[in-house]
Amino acid sequence: MNRSATNRRRERWLWIALAAPGAIWLIVLFVVPFYAMLAVAGGSVNPFFETAIPTWNPLHWSSANLSAVWHNIAGSGAFIGPPALRTLIYTAAASAISLAIAYPVAYFVSRYAGRRKALFLVLLIAPFWVSYMMRMLAWIDLLQQGGFVNSAMSLVGLPGGTDWLGGKSITVILGLVYGYIPYLILVLYAGLDRIDTSLLEAARDLGLGRWRTFWRVTVPLSKPTIIAGAFITVLPMIGDYFTNQLLSAAPNTTMIGNAIEGQLLSPGQTGQGAVLALMLLVVLLIPMIYYAVSTARASLEFG
Amino acid sequence: MSGGNINLVSLIKRFADVTAVDDISLEIGAGEFFSLLGPSGCGKTTTLRLVAGFEAPTGGQILLDGVDVGHLAPNRRNVNTVFQSYALFPFLTVEQNVAFGMRYRSVPKSEVARSVGEALDLVQLSGYEKRRPNQLSGGQQQRVALARALVLRPAVLLLDEPLGALDAKLRRTLQVELNALQKQVGITFLYVTHDQEEALTMSDRLAVMNHGRIAQLGTPEQVYTEPADAYVADFLGVSNLMDASVEPGGGGGGACRLALGDFTLYAEGGQLDATGSVKVAIRPERIHLYPRESDGPNRMPGMVERLVFLGSTTQIFLRLAHGAALQTLIRNDGGGVPYSQGTPVSVHLPPDALRVLPDPGVSVAAIHDETLGDRVPDVTGAAPTGG
Amino acid sequence: MATGESLRALPGAPGSVTRRVRARGNPWRRPWALEGFTWLYILWSIVPVAIAILFSFNKGASQSTWQGFSTKWYVGAGVTSVLHNPSLHQAVVQTLKLSIITTLITVPLGVGFAIGIDRWRSRTSSGLSLVMIFSFVVPELLLAVALFMLVTQLFTFLPLGTTAEVAGLVVWNFSWPAIIVRARLVTIGKTYEEAAADLGASRLSAIRRVLLPMLMPAIFASAVLVFAGTVDDFVIVEQLSSTAGTQPMSVLIYSNVHGGLQGPALNALATIMLGFSLLVALIGFAAYRWMTRGERKQGASEALTSIAGM
């Protein structure tokens, strides 16, 4: 009995040793940085250089930065409100549009593509390998004043002088859609593909027409996939700041990410930037935990 | 080939809240073909894994040729396994698969090639060296798994339902081949299966397991004709279990007087000194049918309910006067079947074929359910897992 | 049967009642609308990029008027070409450097993590697994900011620039090998290692001779994804960069999009980035197919989705 317990313990060390390097890296470079962020948020400012001085002891954290940010959100002269609100609106709009486009495409490729499935998959995966930068660059080229979009519009008689890149919300929203939709399509495809066809056949066999089968069988079955896809899309979108910078660069389309960036780069406001970042993290924490736990549980079910 | 004696002494294995193996003791002689038989969940596979070394016993000992190997890692035991899924390494060729274990024995290269050739020859797969597992049929894969294990000349070969994934005809062919192979090689085979026909045909001896315990241990003939309890009787083929009660002052000597409903029967097999309510079993091939008017000892009136044509035999489902259902069969030897649905008959149950079994206190139907285990009806031909 | 009835119901058919049976009765018709929609999406998705690539070969300096074919933005002398302009040139080098180093570090770390966590069943391992999933799900900006603070306030021995960028990129991409290899491990199961042990292999030997070869496709797939992910990456690299000398292509494009370097040069840069990713993806795909040739029941579509990390 003892020998066997020793064997098991010896075995365990092998697994721990294998996991250790990665685990240590994770902790040191993922968990600790957030603690550093907390320390800066709860810290003070060096009056001469206007650089942040972090306070490492949680007992000594000051709430100065927190109140400053709160003031910026809720007090007079608040400037955090608009970007935050805009982030919600843009993300909601972009996610809705993305889902409306992605679902039919994923549905088609998973159900009806037949022998051309591989071809479609290649075409759908292709954007993955094109960097975000390039995809935005492509649209910047097209949306420029002398670019194709305006030329095409003037060809059909519409006004051809729109400044698409000068601070239009629609540009940013569509940019977000363009940027994040490939991930959504692939997640939806993977989930829809996994749906057992015999379930759908059973529904048809029992008398449901095409539409009813879709709404009453396919959609409920794909709900977990839609939720997973939503996470993969919405969470990164909320932290997005570069789409706006690339496609607009105007202050009336900024998102919360830009606000955080802005504060961090302003001397003396690093601490407040940290607070803002932490607030965003807290807001996102609940969906993040939900996603993480359900993924972990799902993998346990199979493992 | 020397050695290969396995001795399990009070072996216990507990997982969290489940006792999979509940105090098992048995001894398997060197060179024996021994089967562990039972439905899914009875503990047979766990027992096998304990012998192989993939699980550590919670209590008891596993002796291999007198040496306690219970806590040795699997790679240090002179025991090899053929897995249910074959577990052939898909990225290696047949040849490389078979040669895999030889790396740990510091065998020179020429020797390895020769041994591999011999092993493949043994399982009739010479010429398949360069193939990959996914290019082989199920039966061929199973043979490669066999060769891979046998090439290492273990003292014992463990087989975990190896024929489960094959279709019926192939299974029967391979059963014969496996048996011949075992006799040829002379190694102890410890074979796990849920298929009673398989166990009966192939084994020198077998153990019927139920809920982690051994229900009965013996030769196939012993276990089939002299089942120790209702469970074993029902597991090994049709048992025609019936409820009965022993009449006080019963036959005496070599017989036991039973009351089935209003009828009296004499039984000469099983637990003749039992009292009270018992179960009675008789194999279908021992039942004789006579016209209703005929008379004689140990006969009960009954009626033919259904006839099922099975090819070489016809199965006859009977209903006895007091309600019990029985099955018998007759050979289709060209003489036709003299009965049809509804024919009244006189059912003769010879005393020496009737076995008195202790009453486990549950209905016959409940016993049927238990011997089925949690097996899903085999519609796909795929083997159930677990046990 | 529907078809029979509809035939009889056609106007003019002998003995028919002129009932109109609508064409939507055919349950096996091709879904033209869906297919058309899909092609429209694909065009919308790919054509802008194709145009951008095309214009990187533009003879003129415009990004919207075609003036002839030329490779001057790549290799031409006397203009801001990738080959000759120092900042463009070193951006390419920096991207390659970052991607290769990050991949070389992340993959072994992630594979070891996946195997270790899967076998080491304890509360600590589940906790670590959760942390790993968090690193997958947290918005990149927050991680980048946190890393910036870490490097500037705590680990000041770690200089901003390539070292810090690599450190951050490894964390960011860690989940690729961790998740993909873990998923594959679950599929593989313990049986093969048990078979190896049964045949005489020690734990380590079983991992080396059996588990790792079987994991190779997943390891490769994750390496490809880490590489491509790093070529693309922008947020973390920007936060943790120091001088212009450590700017990879992605950051260079970002900072020059609204003026700065001449248009098609940026297109050329982006096309090169695309080239790297695509090349690695193709190599990975080919390697994946070759490695799974012994166990392939899947078609190309399954291989593709594996590479994409699903």
Side-chain angles (χ1 to χ4, degrees):
Chain A
M1 187 59 166
N2 274 323
R3 288 247 297 280
S4 151
T6 331
N7 281 338
R8 249 176 293 141
R9 224 176 294 136
R10 217 178 292 145
E11 224 180 78
R12 253 183 160 215
W13 279 112
L14 174 61
W15 307 130
I16 297 180
L18 274 175
I24 295 177
W25 196 289
L26 254 189
I27 295 182
V28 169
L29 287 163
F30 182 72
V31 178
V32 175
F34 283 102
Y35 187 77
M37 200 152 83
L38 274 168
V40 169
S44 52
V45 180
N46 179 313
F48 282 123
F49 299 107
E50 294 213 287
T51 52
I53 304 178
T55 314
W56 296 106
N57 190 336
L59 299 173
H60 297 149
W61 281 342
S62 95
S63 59
N65 288 320
L66 182 58
S67 34
V69 171
W70 187 247
H71 187 81
N72 287 332
I73 292 179
S76 59
F79 61 88
I80 306 286
L85 188 62
R86 254 201 301 275
T87 308
L88 282 174
I89 298 178
Y90 285 4
T91 312
S95 307
I97 299 176
S98 301
L99 188 62
I101 300 178
Y103 199 96
V105 174
Y107 188 75
F108 171 76
V109 176
S110 64
R111 295 247 87 88
Y112 296 110
R115 263 173 300 163
R116 294 178 295 160
K117 215 186 228 192
L119 167 66
F120 278 111
L121 273 179
V122 169
L123 292 172
L124 288 180
I125 293 182
F128 248 173
W129 307 109
V130 181
S131 70
Y132 198 90
M133 237 10 89
M134 172 154 227
R135 297 164 74 223
M136 291 298 119
L137 189 64
W139 277 104
I140 293 174
D141 286 354
L142 292 176
L143 293 172
Q144 279 170 348
Q145 279 295 19
F148 277 124
V149 171
N150 278 335
S151 316
M153 284 176 70
S154 53
L155 263 175
V156 278
L158 294 166
T162 331
D163 180 17
W164 293 105
L165 300 173
K168 285 188 133 41
S169 293
I170 187 72
T171 315
V172 178
I173 293 179
L174 287 180
L176 286 171
V177 171
Y178 192 77
Y180 290 95
I181 205 174
Y183 302 89
L184 184 59
I185 291 191
L186 282 170
V187 169
L188 286 180
Y189 166 79
L192 284 171
D193 198 46
R194 265 195 282 262
I195 293 184
D196 193 348
T197 340
S198 49
L199 289 172
L200 304 179
E201 287 173 354
R204 298 301 303 278
D205 185 71
L206 292 168
L208 271 68
R210 253 185 165 170
W211 261 123
R212 304 233 345 244
T213 310
F214 178 72
W215 282 114
R216 295 187 61 190
V217 181
T218 314
V219 171
L221 281 174
S222 57
K223 230 190 257 179
T225 312
I226 298 182
I227 296 182
F231 277 113
I232 291 211
T233 316
V234 170
L235 286 175
M237 250 191 222
I238 293 188
D240 187 295
Y241 66 96
F242 37 89
T243 309
N244 169 60
Q245 289 295 95
L246 287 167
L247 294 177
S248 168
N252 64 320
T253 53
T254 55
M255 291 171 67
I256 196 82
N258 302 95
I260 296 178
E261 265 278 279
Q263 296 236 280
L264 285 169
L265 294 174
S266 317
Q269 295 189 339
T270 321
Q272 295 173 37
V275 171
L276 204 52
L278 282 167
M279 286 179 122
L280 184 58
L281 186 63
V282 166
V283 165
L284 294 178
L285 210 56
I286 298 177
M288 271 167 60
I289 292 182
Y290 177 80
Y291 180 81
V293 169
S294 60
T295 318
R297 206 178 298 141
S299 62
L300 268 178
E301 267 166 26
F302 290 112
Chain B
M1 206 94 24
S2 64
N5 175 290
I6 304 177
N7 206 338
L8 303 179
V9 181
S10 302
L11 193 56
I12 301 177
K13 177 63 184 176
R14 249 174 251 130
F15 292 107
D17 47 347
V18 173
T19 307
V21 174
D22 195 356
D23 200 347
I24 288 195
S25 298
L26 60 83
E27 184 164 352
I28 305 173
E32 208 180 342
F33 194 121
F34 192 93
S35 294
L36 290 174
L37 176 64
S40 305
C42 71
K44 57 193 193 299
T45 301
T46 311
T47 308
L48 194 81
R49 286 172 64 86
L50 283 165
V51 177
F54 304 127
E55 310 281 356
T58 317
Q61 295 176 305
I62 304 171
L63 301 170
L64 184 59
D65 289 326
V67 179
D68 186 354
V69 296
H71 301 289
L72 279 185
N75 56 322
R76 306 248 293 272
R77 304 189 193 192
N78 193 13
V79 164
N80 288 121
T81 312
V82 175
F83 293 82
Q84 189 171 10
S85 62
Y86 318 134
L88 296 182
F89 304 127
F91 52 93
L92 295 176
T93 61
V94 163
E95 175 171 55
Q96 290 166 330
N97 261 286
V98 175
F100 189 88
M102 309 213 79
R103 181 88 69 93
Y104 304 102
R105 309 234 168 153
S106 14
V107 178
K109 267 220 172 116
S110 51
E111 178 73 27
V112 171
R114 199 176 57 79
S115 300
V116 168
E118 267 176 21
L120 286 177
D121 213 20
L122 194 62
V123 297
Q124 295 157 42
L125 276 183
S126 303
Y128 282 76
E129 283 87 352
K130 302 291 182 198
R131 300 263 187 111
R132 290 191 168 257
N134 72 329
Q135 295 168 311
L136 302 175
S137 72
Q140 289 168 333
Q141 285 181 19
Q142 198 246 35
R143 286 190 236 188
V144 176
L146 261 174
R148 185 175 71 177
L150 287 174
V151 79
L152 300 173
R153 301 183 184 278
V156 176
L157 187 65
L158 307 174
L159 301 105
D160 186 5
E161 306 202 52
L163 304 181
L166 306 172
D167 70 77
K169 194 141 184 238
L170 189 56
R171 221 182 299 174
R172 241 156 269 167
T173 318
L174 283 177
Q175 281 168 14
V176 173
E177 277 185 28
L178 266 178
N179 235 334
L181 188 66
Q182 193 260 340
K183 292 287 174 282
Q184 185 181 350
V185 171
I187 299 182
T188 310
F189 271 33
L190 180 53
Y191 194 92
V192 160
T193 179
H194 65 278
D195 183 339
Q196 41 99 345
E197 194 185 304
E198 206 166 83
L200 289 177
T201 27
M202 300 170 80
S203 329
D204 292 330
R205 281 192 310 151
L206 59 97
V208 181
M209 289 185 68
N210 186 25
H211 294 316
R213 289 170 175 263
I214 296 184
Q216 186 172 359
L217 197 155
T219 66
E221 198 175 323
Q222 281 172 340
V223 178
Y224 182 79
T225 54
E226 296 161 22
D229 62 27
Y231 172 83
V232 176
D234 202 49
F235 192 85
L236 289 161
V238 179
S239 61
N240 286 322
L241 275 179
M242 292 176 283
D243 291 302
S245 59
V246 180
E247 289 203 348
C256 176
R257 210 164 94 166
L258 301 166
L260 275 83
D262 296 329
F263 299 89
T264 304
L265 288 179
Y266 288 90
E268 285 170 15
Q271 250 188 329
L272 298 177
D273 54 358
T275 54
S277 72
V278 291
K279 294 274 192 282
V280 180
I282 181 168
R283 293 294 178 197
E285 58 270 14
R286 304 297 303 271
I287 298 178
H288 298 294
L289 298 181
Y290 294 102
R292 176 61 80 82
E293 313 73 44
S294 78
D295 206 3
N298 266 34
R299 281 174 210 229
M300 297 173 67
M303 189 185 73
V304 173
E305 268 193 340
R306 204 160 44 106
L307 297 166
V308 180
F309 177 72
L310 290 181
S312 53
T313 56
T314 294
Q315 218 175 6
I316 304 176
F317 289 83
L318 305 164
R319 178 75 59 176
L320 289 181
H322 75 285
L326 296 182
Q327 276 181 48
T328 182
L329 45 80
I330 57 174
R331 295 230 309 263
N332 292 334
D333 54 7
V337 181
Y339 312 104
S340 57
Q341 197 171 13
T343 311
V345 288
S346 176
V347 183
H348 174 53
L349 309 171
D352 61 341
L354 277 173
R355 268 189 91 71
V356 178
L357 300 169
D359 191 342
V362 293
S363 68
V364 169
I367 298 180
H368 283 329
D369 278 341
E370 197 176 309
T371 54
L372 216 49
D374 48 15
R375 264 180 295 177
V376 174
D378 202 340
V379 290
T380 57
T385 52
Chain C
M1 210 348 264
T3 342
E5 282 165 13
S6 58
L7 277 178
R8 264 181 283 126
L10 282 176
S16 72
V17 177
T18 314
R19 252 183 302 131
R20 301 210 78 231
V21 175
R22 283 177 311 149
R24 109 177 125 110
N26 180 2
W28 294 285
R29 72 175 190 280
R30 298 267 304 280
W32 296 113
L34 271 182
E35 178 158 359
F37 187 78
T38 306
W39 281 113
L40 266 175
Y41 163 76
I42 291 179
L43 284 176
W44 177 65
S45 174
I46 295 190
V47 166
V49 174
I51 295 181
I53 297 180
L54 185 65
F55 271 83
S56 71
F57 294 102
N58 193 8
K59 201 178 257 180
S62 161
Q63 282 165 307
S64 31
T65 335
W66 183 250
Q67 290 156 317
F69 186 90
S70 153
T71 55
K72 72 183 200 188
W73 301 108
Y74 290 91
V75 293
V79 284
T80 32
S81 71
V82 175
L83 192 60
H84 292 277
N85 180 309
S87 55
L88 291 183
H89 187 75
Q90 77 79 35
V92 176
V93 171
Q94 179 73 357
T95 301
L96 263 181
K97 214 162 64 166
L98 283 178
S99 308
I100 295 179
I101 300 180
T102 306
T103 309
L104 286 177
I105 299 181
T106 314
V107 173
L109 241 49
V111 172
F113 185 83
I115 300 179
I117 293 287
D118 186 66
R119 300 296 158 86
W120 169 29
R121 299 278 162 130
S122 80
R123 236 171 288 178
T124 328
S125 70
S126 326
L128 283 171
S129 191
L130 219 57
V131 172
M132 184 269 296
I133 297 184
F134 268 116
S135 78
F136 176 69
V137 129
V138 77
E140 200 179 354
L141 174 65
L142 298 180
L143 177 61
V145 166
L147 280 167
F148 179 77
M149 299 200 170
L150 178 80
V151 169
T152 51
Q153 305 294 352
L154 188 58
F155 290 171
T156 40
F157 55 87
L158 214 66
L160 282 178
T162 312
T163 325
E165 288 167 13
V166 168
L169 284 169
V170 169
V171 180
W172 180 241
N173 285 293
F174 189 79
S175 46
W176 287 123
I179 292 181
I180 294 179
V181 169
R182 178 85 191 272
R184 183 82 175 132
L185 263 178
V186 166
T187 316
I188 291 179
K190 309 183 288 172
T191 326
Y192 294 99
E193 278 163 270
E194 280 181 357
D198 183 77
L199 294 166
S202 65
R203 277 274 156 200
L204 266 170
S205 184
I207 292 181
R208 196 176 48 87
R209 286 185 74 198
V210 173
L211 188 60
L212 281 182
M214 293 194 73
L215 283 176
M216 262 315 156
I219 296 178
F220 239 81
S222 62
V224 167
L225 284 164
V226 170
F227 189 90
T230 317
V231 166
D232 275 6
D233 189 275
F234 157 76
V235 178
I236 288 189
V237 177
E238 196 213 18
Q239 279 296 335
L240 299 176
S241 63
S242 57
T243 65
T246 56
Q247 277 188 336
M249 291 192 273
S250 50
V251 178
L252 197 64
I253 295 178
Y254 181 78
S255 39
N256 282 290
V257 143
H258 294 298
L261 294 168
Q262 297 201 281
L266 291 180
N267 288 33
L269 218 54
T271 310
I272 295 180
M273 276 171 75
L274 175 62
F276 283 159
S277 302
L278 219 50
L279 187 65
V280 170
L282 284 171
I283 295 178
F285 183 68
Y288 187 92
R289 293 279 282 177
W290 187 82
M291 281 188 272
T292 51
R293 71 197 191 286
E295 52 181 303
R296 203 186 321 141
K297 301 159 282 175
Q298 1 158 309
S301 30
E302 278 74 11
L304 283 169
T305 38
S306 307
I307 291 270
M310 291 301 125

